[in-house]
mmCIF file of all heavy atoms in Angstrom:
data_model
loop_
_atom_site.group_PDB
_atom_site.id
_atom_site.type_symbol
_atom_site.label_atom_id
_atom_site.label_comp_id
_atom_site.label_asym_id
_atom_site.label_seq_id
_atom_site.Cartn_x
_atom_site.Cartn_y
_atom_site.Cartn_z
ATOM 1 N N LEU A 201 -14.972 -5.658 11.116
ATOM 2 C CA LEU A 201 -15.095 -4.393 11.853
ATOM 3 C C LEU A 201 -13.714 -3.965 12.318
ATOM 4 O O LEU A 201 -13.019 -4.718 12.996
ATOM 5 C CB LEU A 201 -16.030 -4.552 13.052
ATOM 6 C CG LEU A 201 -16.139 -3.336 13.991
ATOM 7 C CD1 LEU A 201 -16.679 -2.119 13.249
ATOM 8 C CD2 LEU A 201 -17.026 -3.662 15.196
ATOM 9 N N ILE A 202 -13.332 -2.743 11.942
ATOM 10 C CA ILE A 202 -12.036 -2.190 12.328
ATOM 11 C C ILE A 202 -12.296 -0.912 13.116
ATOM 12 O O ILE A 202 -13.101 -0.072 12.705
ATOM 13 C CB ILE A 202 -11.179 -1.887 11.091
ATOM 14 C CG1 ILE A 202 -10.985 -3.172 10.270
ATOM 15 C CG2 ILE A 202 -9.827 -1.305 11.486
ATOM 16 C CD1 ILE A 202 -10.645 -2.929 8.832
ATOM 17 N N VAL A 203 -11.644 -0.791 14.253
ATOM 18 C CA VAL A 203 -11.867 0.349 15.147
ATOM 19 C C VAL A 203 -10.580 1.151 15.282
ATOM 20 O O VAL A 203 -9.498 0.575 15.450
ATOM 21 C CB VAL A 203 -12.328 -0.113 16.548
ATOM 22 C CG1 VAL A 203 -12.555 1.099 17.459
ATOM 23 C CG2 VAL A 203 -13.593 -0.965 16.455
ATOM 24 N N VAL A 204 -10.691 2.473 15.197
ATOM 25 C CA VAL A 204 -9.580 3.368 15.545
ATOM 26 C C VAL A 204 -10.104 4.266 16.663
ATOM 27 O O VAL A 204 -11.008 5.079 16.450
ATOM 28 C CB VAL A 204 -9.092 4.198 14.344
ATOM 29 C CG1 VAL A 204 -7.896 5.053 14.770
ATOM 30 C CG2 VAL A 204 -8.717 3.299 13.173
ATOM 31 N N ASP A 205 -9.544 4.115 17.837
ATOM 32 C CA ASP A 205 -10.071 4.749 19.044
ATOM 33 C C ASP A 205 -9.273 5.992 19.434
ATOM 34 O O ASP A 205 -8.054 6.055 19.252
ATOM 35 C CB ASP A 205 -10.015 3.719 20.192
ATOM 36 C CG ASP A 205 -10.684 4.199 21.455
ATOM 37 O OD1 ASP A 205 -11.709 4.909 21.354
ATOM 38 O OD2 ASP A 205 -10.200 3.858 22.554
ATOM 39 N N ASP A 206 -10.002 6.972 19.991
ATOM 40 C CA ASP A 206 -9.387 8.174 20.582
ATOM 41 C C ASP A 206 -8.542 8.977 19.603
ATOM 42 O O ASP A 206 -7.442 9.446 19.936
ATOM 43 C CB ASP A 206 -8.542 7.797 21.810
ATOM 44 C CG ASP A 206 -9.376 7.820 23.086
ATOM 45 O OD1 ASP A 206 -10.507 8.345 23.031
ATOM 46 O OD2 ASP A 206 -8.897 7.322 24.119
ATOM 47 N N ILE A 207 -9.061 9.178 18.408
ATOM 48 C CA ILE A 207 -8.366 10.019 17.441
ATOM 49 C C ILE A 207 -8.349 11.464 17.947
ATOM 50 O O ILE A 207 -9.351 11.982 18.415
ATOM 51 C CB ILE A 207 -9.074 9.963 16.075
ATOM 52 C CG1 ILE A 207 -8.960 8.558 15.485
ATOM 53 C CG2 ILE A 207 -8.506 10.995 15.107
ATOM 54 C CD1 ILE A 207 -9.771 8.358 14.230
ATOM 55 N N GLY A 208 -7.189 12.095 17.877
ATOM 56 C CA GLY A 208 -7.073 13.496 18.252
ATOM 57 C C GLY A 208 -6.726 13.744 19.701
ATOM 58 O O GLY A 208 -6.555 14.896 20.100
ATOM 59 N N MET A 209 -6.594 12.667 20.506
ATOM 60 C CA MET A 209 -6.258 12.865 21.911
ATOM 61 C C MET A 209 -4.806 13.285 22.094
ATOM 62 O O MET A 209 -4.469 14.029 22.997
ATOM 63 C CB MET A 209 -6.530 11.588 22.703
ATOM 64 C CG MET A 209 -8.011 11.298 22.912
ATOM 65 S SD MET A 209 -8.837 12.575 23.904
ATOM 66 C CE MET A 209 -8.086 12.312 25.498
ATOM 67 N N LEU A 210 -3.935 12.782 21.207
ATOM 68 C CA LEU A 210 -2.515 13.099 21.293
ATOM 69 C C LEU A 210 -2.075 13.770 20.001
ATOM 70 O O LEU A 210 -2.665 13.543 18.941
ATOM 71 C CB LEU A 210 -1.689 11.819 21.522
ATOM 72 C CG LEU A 210 -1.931 11.088 22.843
ATOM 73 C CD1 LEU A 210 -1.157 9.765 22.847
ATOM 74 C CD2 LEU A 210 -1.510 11.945 24.025
ATOM 75 N N PRO A 211 -1.035 14.591 20.065
ATOM 76 C CA PRO A 211 -0.529 15.215 18.830
ATOM 77 C C PRO A 211 -0.100 14.148 17.836
ATOM 78 O O PRO A 211 0.395 13.084 18.208
ATOM 79 C CB PRO A 211 0.679 16.030 19.328
ATOM 80 C CG PRO A 211 0.445 16.219 20.792
ATOM 81 C CD PRO A 211 -0.281 15.000 21.263
ATOM 82 N N SER A 212 -0.331 14.399 16.566
ATOM 83 C CA SER A 212 0.062 13.435 15.539
ATOM 84 C C SER A 212 0.644 14.189 14.354
ATOM 85 O O SER A 212 0.353 15.363 14.134
ATOM 86 C CB SER A 212 -1.139 12.595 15.109
ATOM 87 O OG SER A 212 -2.199 13.426 14.661
ATOM 88 N N GLY A 213 1.453 13.497 13.590
ATOM 89 C CA GLY A 213 2.122 14.134 12.472
ATOM 90 C C GLY A 213 1.696 13.559 11.134
ATOM 91 O O GLY A 213 0.666 12.893 11.007
ATOM 92 N N GLN A 214 2.537 13.771 10.126
ATOM 93 C CA GLN A 214 2.254 13.339 8.760
ATOM 94 C C GLN A 214 2.099 11.824 8.673
ATOM 95 O O GLN A 214 1.228 11.318 7.957
ATOM 96 C CB GLN A 214 3.367 13.806 7.830
ATOM 97 C CG GLN A 214 3.159 13.460 6.363
ATOM 98 C CD GLN A 214 2.067 14.284 5.704
ATOM 99 O OE1 GLN A 214 1.690 15.339 6.214
ATOM 100 N NE2 GLN A 214 1.560 13.799 4.573
ATOM 101 N N ALA A 215 2.929 11.097 9.416
ATOM 102 C CA ALA A 215 2.871 9.634 9.346
ATOM 103 C C ALA A 215 1.519 9.116 9.824
ATOM 104 O O ALA A 215 0.941 8.198 9.232
ATOM 105 C CB ALA A 215 4.000 9.022 10.176
ATOM 106 N N ALA A 216 1.000 9.705 10.908
ATOM 107 C CA ALA A 216 -0.300 9.289 11.429
ATOM 108 C C ALA A 216 -1.409 9.619 10.440
ATOM 109 O O ALA A 216 -2.325 8.817 10.220
ATOM 110 C CB ALA A 216 -0.562 9.962 12.766
ATOM 111 N N ALA A 217 -1.335 10.805 9.844
ATOM 112 C CA ALA A 217 -2.346 11.210 8.871
ATOM 113 C C ALA A 217 -2.357 10.269 7.673
ATOM 114 O O ALA A 217 -3.425 9.849 7.193
ATOM 115 C CB ALA A 217 -2.077 12.640 8.415
ATOM 116 N N GLU A 218 -1.173 9.912 7.181
ATOM 117 C CA GLU A 218 -1.094 9.019 6.029
ATOM 118 C C GLU A 218 -1.574 7.617 6.379
ATOM 119 O O GLU A 218 -2.264 6.962 5.575
ATOM 120 C CB GLU A 218 0.334 8.973 5.505
ATOM 121 C CG GLU A 218 0.785 10.287 4.870
ATOM 122 C CD GLU A 218 2.215 10.233 4.371
ATOM 123 O OE1 GLU A 218 2.840 9.154 4.481
ATOM 124 O OE2 GLU A 218 2.705 11.262 3.879
ATOM 125 N N ALA A 219 -1.233 7.136 7.574
ATOM 126 C CA ALA A 219 -1.671 5.796 7.990
ATOM 127 C C ALA A 219 -3.189 5.730 8.094
ATOM 128 O O ALA A 219 -3.821 4.762 7.637
ATOM 129 C CB ALA A 219 -1.025 5.434 9.327
ATOM 130 N N PHE A 220 -3.774 6.761 8.669
ATOM 131 C CA PHE A 220 -5.226 6.786 8.816
ATOM 132 C C PHE A 220 -5.900 6.850 7.451
ATOM 133 O O PHE A 220 -6.882 6.141 7.185
ATOM 134 C CB PHE A 220 -5.628 7.977 9.689
ATOM 135 C CG PHE A 220 -7.095 8.026 10.024
ATOM 136 C CD1 PHE A 220 -7.759 6.902 10.490
ATOM 137 C CD2 PHE A 220 -7.811 9.209 9.892
ATOM 138 C CE1 PHE A 220 -9.116 6.946 10.803
ATOM 139 C CE2 PHE A 220 -9.163 9.268 10.198
ATOM 140 C CZ PHE A 220 -9.814 8.131 10.651
ATOM 141 N N TYR A 221 -5.363 7.671 6.561
ATOM 142 C CA TYR A 221 -5.943 7.766 5.216
ATOM 143 C C TYR A 221 -5.864 6.421 4.498
ATOM 144 O O TYR A 221 -6.820 5.992 3.839
ATOM 145 C CB TYR A 221 -5.240 8.829 4.383
ATOM 146 C CG TYR A 221 -5.659 8.766 2.931
ATOM 147 C CD1 TYR A 221 -6.896 9.264 2.518
ATOM 148 C CD2 TYR A 221 -4.835 8.146 1.975
ATOM 149 C CE1 TYR A 221 -7.304 9.167 1.194
ATOM 150 C CE2 TYR A 221 -5.236 8.043 0.656
ATOM 151 C CZ TYR A 221 -6.476 8.553 0.270
ATOM 152 O OH TYR A 221 -6.879 8.428 -1.028
ATOM 153 N N ARG A 222 -4.731 5.759 4.593
ATOM 154 C CA ARG A 222 -4.573 4.454 3.931
ATOM 155 C C ARG A 222 -5.648 3.474 4.402
ATOM 156 O O ARG A 222 -6.236 2.732 3.602
ATOM 157 C CB ARG A 222 -3.187 3.877 4.213
ATOM 158 C CG ARG A 222 -2.053 4.533 3.457
ATOM 159 C CD ARG A 222 -0.732 3.869 3.821
ATOM 160 N NE ARG A 222 0.406 4.512 3.196
ATOM 161 C CZ ARG A 222 0.864 4.243 1.973
ATOM 162 N NH1 ARG A 222 0.242 3.316 1.236
ATOM 163 N NH2 ARG A 222 1.917 4.861 1.493
ATOM 164 N N LEU A 223 -5.908 3.456 5.713
ATOM 165 C CA LEU A 223 -6.903 2.531 6.245
ATOM 166 C C LEU A 223 -8.301 2.905 5.778
ATOM 167 O O LEU A 223 -9.079 2.038 5.351
ATOM 168 C CB LEU A 223 -6.841 2.523 7.778
ATOM 169 C CG LEU A 223 -7.867 1.602 8.457
ATOM 170 C CD1 LEU A 223 -7.628 0.148 8.064
ATOM 171 C CD2 LEU A 223 -7.802 1.755 9.973
ATOM 172 N N VAL A 224 -8.645 4.176 5.861
ATOM 173 C CA VAL A 224 -9.976 4.615 5.429
ATOM 174 C C VAL A 224 -10.185 4.306 3.952
ATOM 175 O O VAL A 224 -11.252 3.828 3.549
ATOM 176 C CB VAL A 224 -10.158 6.131 5.701
ATOM 177 C CG1 VAL A 224 -11.463 6.628 5.084
ATOM 178 C CG2 VAL A 224 -10.152 6.406 7.201
ATOM 179 N N ASP A 225 -9.171 4.561 3.144
ATOM 180 C CA ASP A 225 -9.282 4.304 1.716
ATOM 181 C C ASP A 225 -9.442 2.806 1.430
ATOM 182 O O ASP A 225 -10.238 2.409 0.570
ATOM 183 C CB ASP A 225 -8.046 4.842 0.997
ATOM 184 C CG ASP A 225 -8.142 4.721 -0.516
ATOM 185 O OD1 ASP A 225 -9.130 5.216 -1.089
ATOM 186 O OD2 ASP A 225 -7.239 4.116 -1.118
ATOM 187 N N ALA A 226 -8.706 1.970 2.165
ATOM 188 C CA ALA A 226 -8.750 0.522 1.940
ATOM 189 C C ALA A 226 -10.082 -0.085 2.374
ATOM 190 O O ALA A 226 -10.530 -1.087 1.801
ATOM 191 C CB ALA A 226 -7.596 -0.157 2.669
ATOM 192 N N THR A 227 -10.698 0.491 3.380
ATOM 193 C CA THR A 227 -11.955 -0.065 3.885
ATOM 194 C C THR A 227 -13.177 0.507 3.178
ATOM 195 O O THR A 227 -14.288 -0.017 3.354
ATOM 196 C CB THR A 227 -12.112 0.202 5.397
ATOM 197 O OG1 THR A 227 -12.041 1.614 5.646
ATOM 198 C CG2 THR A 227 -11.025 -0.514 6.193
ATOM 199 N N TYR A 228 -12.999 1.541 2.400
ATOM 200 C CA TYR A 228 -14.131 2.256 1.798
ATOM 201 C C TYR A 228 -15.063 1.316 1.033
ATOM 202 O O TYR A 228 -14.665 0.671 0.074
ATOM 203 C CB TYR A 228 -13.604 3.350 0.870
ATOM 204 C CG TYR A 228 -14.686 4.150 0.172
ATOM 205 C CD1 TYR A 228 -15.641 4.848 0.907
ATOM 206 C CD2 TYR A 228 -14.746 4.202 -1.218
ATOM 207 C CE1 TYR A 228 -16.632 5.587 0.273
ATOM 208 C CE2 TYR A 228 -15.734 4.943 -1.859
ATOM 209 C CZ TYR A 228 -16.679 5.623 -1.098
ATOM 210 O OH TYR A 228 -17.666 6.344 -1.721
ATOM 211 N N GLU A 229 -16.305 1.236 1.521
ATOM 212 C CA GLU A 229 -17.374 0.418 0.954
ATOM 213 C C GLU A 229 -17.044 -1.073 0.917
ATOM 214 O O GLU A 229 -17.700 -1.840 0.220
ATOM 215 C CB GLU A 229 -17.745 0.917 -0.453
ATOM 216 C CG GLU A 229 -18.369 2.313 -0.436
ATOM 217 C CD GLU A 229 -18.924 2.742 -1.783
ATOM 218 O OE1 GLU A 229 -18.362 2.326 -2.823
ATOM 219 O OE2 GLU A 229 -19.932 3.478 -1.797
ATOM 220 N N ARG A 230 -16.029 -1.482 1.662
ATOM 221 C CA ARG A 230 -15.669 -2.900 1.745
ATOM 222 C C ARG A 230 -15.768 -3.449 3.156
ATOM 223 O O ARG A 230 -16.132 -4.600 3.362
ATOM 224 C CB ARG A 230 -14.234 -3.108 1.235
ATOM 225 C CG ARG A 230 -14.039 -2.824 -0.241
ATOM 226 C CD ARG A 230 -12.593 -3.104 -0.652
ATOM 227 N NE ARG A 230 -12.189 -4.460 -0.303
ATOM 228 C CZ ARG A 230 -11.246 -4.750 0.588
ATOM 229 N NH1 ARG A 230 -10.612 -3.773 1.256
ATOM 230 N NH2 ARG A 230 -10.914 -6.005 0.832
ATOM 231 N N ARG A 231 -15.396 -2.633 4.121
ATOM 232 C CA ARG A 231 -15.398 -3.048 5.524
ATOM 233 C C ARG A 231 -15.949 -1.907 6.375
ATOM 234 O O ARG A 231 -15.892 -0.741 5.985
ATOM 235 C CB ARG A 231 -13.983 -3.396 5.995
ATOM 236 C CG ARG A 231 -13.427 -4.710 5.427
ATOM 237 C CD ARG A 231 -14.146 -5.888 6.058
ATOM 238 N NE ARG A 231 -13.540 -7.152 5.706
ATOM 239 C CZ ARG A 231 -13.991 -7.971 4.763
ATOM 240 N NH1 ARG A 231 -15.028 -7.592 4.021
ATOM 241 N NH2 ARG A 231 -13.411 -9.131 4.548
ATOM 242 N N SER A 232 -16.425 -2.242 7.573
ATOM 243 C CA SER A 232 -16.919 -1.219 8.488
ATOM 244 C C SER A 232 -15.776 -0.688 9.336
ATOM 245 O O SER A 232 -15.004 -1.460 9.920
ATOM 246 C CB SER A 232 -18.011 -1.798 9.395
ATOM 247 O OG SER A 232 -19.216 -1.950 8.691
ATOM 248 N N LEU A 233 -15.690 0.625 9.401
ATOM 249 C CA LEU A 233 -14.683 1.297 10.204
ATOM 250 C C LEU A 233 -15.398 2.135 11.257
ATOM 251 O O LEU A 233 -16.254 2.951 10.920
ATOM 252 C CB LEU A 233 -13.817 2.187 9.316
ATOM 253 C CG LEU A 233 -12.698 2.985 9.992
ATOM 254 C CD1 LEU A 233 -11.687 2.050 10.640
ATOM 255 C CD2 LEU A 233 -12.004 3.889 8.964
ATOM 256 N N ALA A 234 -15.070 1.913 12.517
ATOM 257 C CA ALA A 234 -15.634 2.697 13.618
ATOM 258 C C ALA A 234 -14.528 3.544 14.225
ATOM 259 O O ALA A 234 -13.448 3.021 14.536
ATOM 260 C CB ALA A 234 -16.248 1.782 14.671
#
Side-chain angles (χ1 to χ4, degrees):
L201 174 61
I202 302 158
V203 180
V204 183
D205 187 36
D206 270 348
I207 294 173
M209 287 297 292
L210 295 174
S212 56
Q214 182 72 19
E218 292 179 2
F220 186 48
Y221 170 76
R222 286 180 184 274
L223 179 62
V224 172
D225 185 54
T227 57
Y228 179 59
E229 294 188 328
R230 294 182 55 245
R231 288 289 188 260
S232 285
L233 180 62

